[in-house]
Amino acid sequence: MDNNNTPHGVREKFIEVANRKKILAHRCAKCGHTMLETVMFCEKCSASKFEDVELEGAGTVVTYTIQAVAPAGFEDAGSYAWVVFKINNANIRASGFLPGIKEPKDLPVGAKVKVAGFDQHHGLLLEKA
Ligand SMILES: [Zn+2]
């Protein structure tokens, strides 16, 4: 664990945390505001010092887009949705990939989703909770 301060290290850690079905986020060391780990400067006070926090890998669907054609590596998944969800117990939105969604009735807004893992090419992999 000697490279956690490099951008590569952050990504590796995000993946490691996602594979434990949680979401890595940043908490501002100055004001305590919690943000996605991709944010470089605090949204509230512009400070750039953060500590890592692990958020619950579950949330509520805010919006999503159904994709009829699966991207490379997901040909076997059929249609899927890119989902934006609000993380439980945090005022943060994250996005991920949810296979097997063909039409809006398959995924009502407000549905519960959880992190199932991480795909190297496509990011967070979700499943219905
Ligand atoms: Zn701050």
Side-chain angles (χ1 to χ4, degrees):
M1 293 300 161
D2 56 357
N3 64 348
N4 277 351
N5 293 324
T6 66
H8 182 256
V10 169
R11 179 179 160 83
E12 293 302 306
K13 179 150 192 200
F14 185 87
I15 293 169
E16 186 266 318
V17 171
N19 282 329
R20 283 192 278 112
K21 308 192 189 322
K22 294 189 168 214
I23 295 171
L24 180 68
H26 276 165
R27 180 187 287 139
C28 177
K30 192 171 171 189
C31 75
H33 183 56
T34 303
M35 293 147 282
L36 286 177
E37 49 80 41
T38 50
V39 176
M40 301 304 289
F41 296 96
C42 177
E43 296 162 338
K44 290 228 166 124
C45 74
S46 299
S48 58
K49 287 199 108 163
F50 302 105
E51 53 195 35
D52 289 341
V53 287
E54 291 183 13
L55 303 176
E56 188 179 345
T60 306
V61 174
V62 175
T63 185
Y64 62 91
T65 307
I66 294 174
Q67 307 285 331
V69 179
F74 275 104
E75 290 88 349
D76 59 343
S79 55
Y80 67 98
W82 282 113
V83 176
V84 176
F85 62 101
K86 182 197 162 294
I87 300 170
N88 288 350
N89 305 314
N91 194 24
I92 298 182
R93 291 177 177 191
S95 55
F97 166 94
L98 181 56
I101 303 299
K102 293 185 173 61
E103 48 188 314
K105 72 175 173 59
D106 292 335
L107 189 71
V109 167
K112 304 285 186 192
V113 293
K114 60 185 180 182
V115 174
F118 190 89
D119 179 85
Q120 289 288 346
H121 300 290
H122 304 295
L124 278 179
L125 188 58
L126 304 175
E127 62 187 9
K128 284 191 193 177

